[in-house]
Amino acid sequence: MSEANASATRITPGNALRPEDIALEVRTGLAKPTEDTAEYALRLGDDALILAQRLGHWISRAPELEEDIALGNIALDQLGHARSFLSYAGGAMTNDDGSAKSEDDLAYFRREHEFRSVQLFEQPNGDFAATIARQFVVSYYQFLLYSRLTESKDATLAAIAAKAVKEVDYHRDHAAQWVLRLAGGTEESRKRMIHGFRIMWPYVEELFRDDALTGRLAEAGIAVAPSSIKEDFDRLTGEVLSEAELEVPDVPAAPGGGRQGKHSEHLGYILAEMQVLAREHPGASW
Amino acid sequence: MAAQNLQSVPVELTAGTSETAEADGQANFDRVIAEDSRIEPKDWMPPAYRKTLLRQISQHAHSEIIGMQPEANWISRAPSLKRKAILMAKVQDEAGHGLYLYSAAESLGQNRDEMTDALIAGKARYSSIFNYPALTWADMGAIGWLVDGAAICNQVPLCRASYGPYGRAMVRICKEESFHQRQGFEILLELSNGTPAQKQMAQDAVNRWYAPALMMFGPPDDDSPNSKQSMAWNIKRFSNDELRSRFVGMMVEQVRVLGLTLPDDQIRFNEDSKKWEHGPLDWDEFHEVLAGRGPCNSQRLERRREAHDDGAWVREAAAAYAQKQSMTTKEYAA
């Protein structure tokens, strides 16, 4: 990261980047993403937002109080990352009145086909094992992605990733520990863990798909080419699966298409619930 | 400590020695209470003191856990991402409060599983306030401002409760609760200054939560059987009516800043008694809800039961895995 870019985000060690800081930089013109960069930030923001919405459902329903707290924490971290990425993405998108789109404009006033999250993130929580299977894949993917994104030539993306990677590292540990416990616990928990992986695994392939946008941005040193972290993902998740004596599920990949706005049936319900109140009172402040 | 030494004493002597130990324990307990200092888990305490504390602390823990539900109900629909984050953090705090309180109760000899079983079997109580529904977003404001506000009035004096682990847990809980109350106030303030529909939503929520919040302080003093003993033991510091009156005084000031009203035209400051007075409360409704016939009693318990039952296989797996791990460690050691 060059000195000039680093100073643009006012980030110093110990001074964590808040979504409000990014929104302020966007409003004052300090941070100005290109259209490509904004689209990329939107993808990562939507992934995190949809996952936060899914995980938030566990709060008050988890298998034990400690997990209400842990899953709530992970949801909160994801929501924080989403807010940062979306605030930044909005810097290259305008409302009808010419103002930059805010995190809330993007979260509450887009329709299904305008969301850019991959389909894994919108998959239903299922039982605790299914949620852990999704968490396991997601947190290794995000850990590798954000680790590399800290080197982005875009200072804002690098700063968001620098904060996020520390948090996602804990998510990774949480998921891996549960994979080991459930796979090595009882006969029932092992059966459920295997089932959880089988229903989530069809959506893994889509995470590592390159396209024209990531091609241009990776070339420019701004984004991480998804395919470039696949090998590390296979190796690191493979180590845990092997310790848990589990196989990588042999299931066909789903066609995916979330990055282009193609979603499963689930996203509509997520958005209907998430957006209902904000849409009842357009223009209101909360 | 004295009790542990009894094992080496001949059987025929134990009864008498035990009585002596109990008399010593009682004397020590009385002295600690008279000095207004603290009883700790290993100190001797009268069985009734232990029972009262266990009842109160476990009820308080259950209230935190059941109390997560009305607010968790709005996490998915929070109208801005910032509000969603704050609400998630708040509900998570409540789970944390439940954990400290269960730990404080465990120090009196009952474990968390037993307390949870009593809760889901419908044998344990929790604060009746959580048996009312959270119907609109403004309820997140009213719960924070009125319900957490009333909880703070109740709980600040508990930071000085004679039982050490309880008092210390309450210090941390009160710090977080006061933050919760401010966020509730802020939600209402934003709504009150918003569109007419938002202001109406805020007023409606205050109207619905006001009386149940006042009843959180418990029945009037002349109808509160346990209060007197709890005050003598320095667990409770102020009477129900005293705390209720203080709370009304605080709310009267704050509701003006909010630009809203309290649904009670009989609030007045009594110059003679120097206390705030309020209109009559529907104690029949209070007792109905307490008896399990409130709007959400069945729903709240069922949700807790369902989470507990659905999670049984996970807890069993974690226990089985931990046991296998500890056996492996022992094999290595051998």
Side-chain angles (χ1 to χ4, degrees), chain B residues 194-215:
Chain B
T195 64
Q198 284 180 302
K199 184 164 185 172
Q200 179 56 43
M201 194 195 290
Q203 184 62 60
D204 168 65
V206 169
N207 291 351
R208 281 183 289 110
W209 289 94
Y210 168 76
L214 253 56
M215 291 194 274

Side-chain angles (χ1 to χ4, degrees), chain A residues 186-202:
Chain A
T186 61
E187 205 174 311
E188 182 179 8
S189 68
R190 183 171 178 83
K191 200 172 76 188
R192 286 177 185 255
M193 191 69 251
I194 290 169
H195 179 70
F197 275 123
R198 281 187 72 83
I199 56 177
M200 295 298 173
W201 215 266

Side-chain angles (χ1 to χ4, degrees), chain A residues 22 38 73 76 124 139 167 201 205 212 282:
Chain A
I22 295 173
N73 243 326
L76 256 179
S139 52
E167 297 172 349
W201 215 266
E205 197 257 352

Side-chain angles (χ1 to χ4, degrees), chain B residues 198-234:
Chain B
Q198 284 180 302
K199 184 164 185 172
Q200 179 56 43
M201 194 195 290
Q203 184 62 60
D204 168 65
V206 169
N207 291 351
R208 281 183 289 110
W209 289 94
Y210 168 76
L214 253 56
M215 291 194 274
M216 282 174 69
F217 293 95
D221 293 347
D222 51 18
D223 187 28
S224 178
N226 299 320
S227 285
K228 209 174 164 189
Q229 179 62 73
S230 282
M231 287 176 76
W233 277 332
N234 294 348

Side-chain angles (χ1 to χ4, degrees), chain A residues 268-285:
Chain A
Y269 291 94
I270 297 176
L271 298 186
E273 192 172 348
M274 182 173 83
Q275 298 177 336
V276 61
L277 182 58
R279 287 186 175 224
E280 255 179 57
H281 303 264
S285 130

Side-chain angles (χ1 to χ4, degrees), chain A residues 60 63 66 108 273 285-286, chain B residues 76 78 83 112 190 303 315:
Chain A
S60 78
E66 286 81 353
Y108 293 97
E273 192 172 348
S285 130
W286 302 94
Chain B
S76 64
R83 291 284 175 211
R112 205 208 305 177
E190 191 82 33
R303 164 90 156 267
R315 296 188 300 275

Side-chain angles (χ1 to χ4, degrees), chain A residues 286, chain B residues 71 82-83 86-87 90 93-94 137-138 140-152 156 172-191 247 250-251 254 257-258:
Chain A
W286 302 94
Chain B
E71 292 176 292
K82 184 181 174 188
R83 291 284 175 211
I86 292 170
L87 187 59
K90 179 177 193 271
D93 280 351
E94 284 154 9
W137 170 253
M140 299 303 96
I143 290 175
W145 180 52
L146 290 168
V147 175
D148 292 336
I152 292 167
V156 166
R172 181 161 173 187
I173 290 172
C174 283
K175 282 182 186 161
E176 294 181 349
E177 290 292 354
S178 87
F179 180 74
H180 294 174
Q181 194 199 13
R182 286 206 299 273
Q183 70 86 39
F185 182 87
E186 201 203 348
I187 288 175
L188 290 176
L189 188 63
E190 191 82 33
L191 292 174
F247 177 66
M250 283 163 54
M251 295 300 108
Q254 293 177 16
V257 183
L258 285 174

Side-chain angles (χ1 to χ4, degrees), chain A:
Chain A
M1 194 194 294
S2 76
E3 282 297 316
N5 279 339
S7 64
T9 58
R10 299 184 292 117
I11 300 309
T12 53
N15 178 13
L17 181 72
R18 299 173 311 141
E20 289 83 358
D21 298 329
I22 295 173
L24 181 68
E25 287 173 7
V26 166
R27 278 202 304 277
T28 55
L30 262 174
K32 177 77 185 152
T34 63
E35 270 185 37
D36 271 1
T37 305
E39 176 71 14
Y40 182 68
L42 194 65
R43 292 179 174 189
L44 304 187
D46 284 348
D47 283 352
L49 177 60
I50 298 304
L51 183 62
Q53 188 74 5
R54 278 294 192 215
L55 289 175
H57 185 77
W58 277 107
I59 302 174
S60 78
R61 294 182 176 89
E64 53 191 2
L65 279 179
E66 286 81 353
E67 280 305 305
D68 278 300
I69 295 176
L71 292 171
N73 243 326
I74 295 170
L76 256 179
D77 288 345
Q78 293 286 336
L79 184 56
H81 308 160
R83 295 182 61 205
S84 293
F85 282 125
L86 294 181
S87 295
Y88 188 42
M93 302 171 189
T94 48
N95 291 309
D96 292 342
D97 65 2
S99 61
K101 284 195 187 287
S102 68
E103 50 174 313
D104 288 338
D105 292 329
L106 290 171
Y108 293 97
F109 295 94
R110 276 183 301 153
R111 293 161 64 195
E112 283 166 72
H113 67 273
E114 296 170 296
F115 274 75
R116 292 289 177 263
S117 42
V118 291
Q119 293 185 2
L120 176 65
F121 293 83
E122 69 210 36
Q123 293 310 305
N125 285 338
D127 65 6
F128 185 71
T131 288
I132 290 299
R134 191 184 60 203
Q135 268 318 104
F136 180 73
V137 173
V138 162
S139 52
Y140 274 86
Y141 162 75
Q142 288 182 329
F143 176 74
L144 291 165
L145 175 66
Y146 295 156
S147 298
R148 291 269 306 281
L149 199 59
T150 58
E151 295 156 20
S152 171
K153 286 186 179 162
D154 183 289
T156 306
L157 288 182
I160 299 170
K163 178 173 190 286
V165 72
K166 292 180 205 149
E167 297 172 349
V168 170
D169 198 11
Y170 284 105
H171 307 175
R172 186 172 73 129
D173 186 48
H174 173 262
Q177 295 299 324
W178 272 114
V179 166
L180 293 175
R181 273 188 213 113
L182 296 182
T186 61
E187 205 174 311
E188 182 179 8
S189 68
R190 183 171 178 83
K191 200 172 76 188
R192 286 177 185 255
M193 191 69 251
I194 290 169
H195 179 70
F197 275 123
R198 281 187 72 83
I199 56 177
M200 295 298 173
W201 215 266
Y203 305 96
V204 171
E205 197 257 352
E206 186 189 5
L207 295 170
F208 303 101
R209 227 178 264 171
D210 297 332
D211 63 9
L213 178 81
T214 56
R216 288 195 298 276
L217 288 174
E219 179 76 29
I222 289 169
V224 179
S227 63
S228 70
I229 53 174
K230 179 72 165 59
E231 199 182 312
D232 283 343
F233 174 86
D234 288 343
R235 182 174 52 79
L236 291 174
T237 52
E239 285 169 8
V240 180
L241 292 178
S242 146
E243 190 181 339
E245 297 175 23
L246 294 173
E247 307 270 330
V248 172
D250 182 17
V251 287
R259 298 292 188 222
Q260 284 72 45
K262 291 181 196 160
H263 293 282
S264 61
E265 291 172 342
H266 308 299
L267 186 65
Y269 291 94
I270 297 176
L271 298 186
E273 192 172 348
M274 182 173 83
Q275 298 177 336
V276 61
L277 182 58
R279 287 186 175 224
E280 255 179 57
H281 303 264
S285 130
W286 302 94

